Amino acid sequence: MIDFYTAATPNGFKVAIALEELGLPYRVIPLDLSALDQKKPEFLAINPNGRIPAIVDRDNGDFAVFESGAILLYLAEKAGKLLPQDPKRRSQAIQWLMFQMGGVGPMMGQANVFYRYFPEKIPAAIERYQKEGRRLFEVLDSHLAQHEYLADEYSIADIATWPWVRIHDWSGISIEGLPHLQAWMARMVEKPACQKGITIPPRNETPEDLVKQAQQMVTR
Ligand SMILES: N[C@@H](CCC(=O)N[C@@H](CS)C(=O)NCC(=O)O)C(=O)O
């Protein structure tokens, strides 16, 4: 059994989609980010960074894993799926996973902060992160022109990237003129695990509550 500590955000959805896709037994432990559950000592013992997601593998000596990319790798290796066996293909999947972890996620995250949540509107910061987000989308689009999935076969690289790209409107980053990225998104949204993963954990808050929570988080 995997204990899955999460909240309804893109980094949490990545792991939810992978758990669904891999068919591994898991138990969801939702954290209330506005109540700062993620900063409590019992959770910091699992993830010293005090952020979701994190997992504890109860079938492997209570082994804890934090950082969504590392969790995806751990789960894919445990199940022997969603990560190609061929060493070059495997490296390609890891390259696109890192591209998401070091690029798409942080840039869109900062675009959201400055475009949506930060109390002061700083146009240069908004423009910087939205432009960088769009540039990364263009890189994805060029690559997907030649490949059905990021590492040719469907992998954890796609699972890491889709929950972020799907909220591009919220980040104020257009996907107009990027037909290959759009076609890939259409392929991803068809997958039952993707559809289910973005509902875990269920959201009780209104969109307005979520904005308020995020505003509190960036200003505390
Ligand atoms: N690099 C980390 C980022 C995790 C992250 O930023 N999580 C956010 C939600 S998407 C969070 O827990 N925020 C709460 C906080 O900052 O206190 C990962 O990929 O796991």
Side-chain angles (χ1 to χ4, degrees):
M1 175 69 66
I2 307 272
D3 281 349
F4 172 32
Y5 297 81
T6 193
T9 75
N11 287 322
F13 295 151
K14 294 174 191 176
V15 175
I17 294 168
L19 284 164
E20 283 295 317
E21 202 68 79
L22 295 168
L24 293 168
Y26 70 97
R27 173 169 51 205
V28 177
I29 300 162
L31 297 197
D32 181 347
L33 300 184
S34 55
L36 296 183
D37 286 351
Q38 72 278 22
K39 309 296 178 197
K40 293 185 176 151
E42 56 272 30
F43 183 69
L44 291 175
I46 295 166
N47 180 355
N49 194 31
R51 292 190 162 200
I52 64 90
I55 60 164
V56 176
D57 188 348
R58 299 293 173 200
D59 301 325
N60 189 15
D62 290 349
F63 187 64
V65 190
F66 72 100
E67 281 295 318
S68 57
I71 297 171
L72 293 178
L73 280 167
Y74 178 84
L75 294 175
E77 278 173 350
K78 183 180 171 82
K81 286 192 246 168
L82 292 177
L83 191 57
Q85 290 300 314
D86 171 74
K88 285 186 186 162
R89 233 353 127 61
R90 193 180 183 87
S91 167
Q92 282 164 344
I94 294 171
Q95 289 168 48
W96 287 105
L97 176 66
M98 297 299 160
F99 178 84
Q100 188 288 314
M101 290 297 294
V104 175
M107 293 306 122
M108 290 187 75
Q110 292 305 312
N112 293 345
V113 166
F114 287 106
Y115 186 50
R116 296 284 178 185
Y117 314 132
F118 208 61
E120 193 189 335
K121 286 285 163 252
I122 308 170
I126 296 171
E127 194 188 333
R128 158 78 189 147
Y129 292 114
Q130 289 181 336
K131 268 179 99 170
E132 184 59 6
R134 171 72 191 194
R135 188 189 70 76
L136 296 169
F137 284 3
E138 289 170 4
V139 174
L140 288 170
D141 186 67
S142 304
H143 181 71
L144 290 165
Q146 311 293 333
H147 306 268
E148 191 179 7
Y149 291 103
L150 291 170
D152 285 315
E153 64 190 79
Y154 174 49
S155 75
I156 51 172
D158 303 288
I159 291 176
T161 307
W162 179 71
W164 279 101
V165 179
R166 68 182 276 276
I167 61 156
H168 64 90
D169 272 342
W170 184 248
S171 315
I173 305 173
S174 168
I175 55 163
E176 284 304 304
L178 304 177
H180 311 293
L181 183 64
Q182 289 180 24
W184 169 84
M185 284 170 71
R187 284 195 284 283
M188 292 296 287
V189 79
E190 286 300 309
K191 295 183 187 297
C194 290
Q195 292 171 12
K196 175 113 191 260
I198 57 172
T199 67
I200 298 169
R203 234 178 211 160
N204 302 317
E205 309 92 332
T206 64
E208 292 73 32
D209 291 337
L210 292 171
V211 171
K212 248 185 242 156
Q213 278 178 21
Q215 283 169 336
Q216 281 165 3
M217 261 183 264
V218 299
T219 51
R220 69 167 179 256

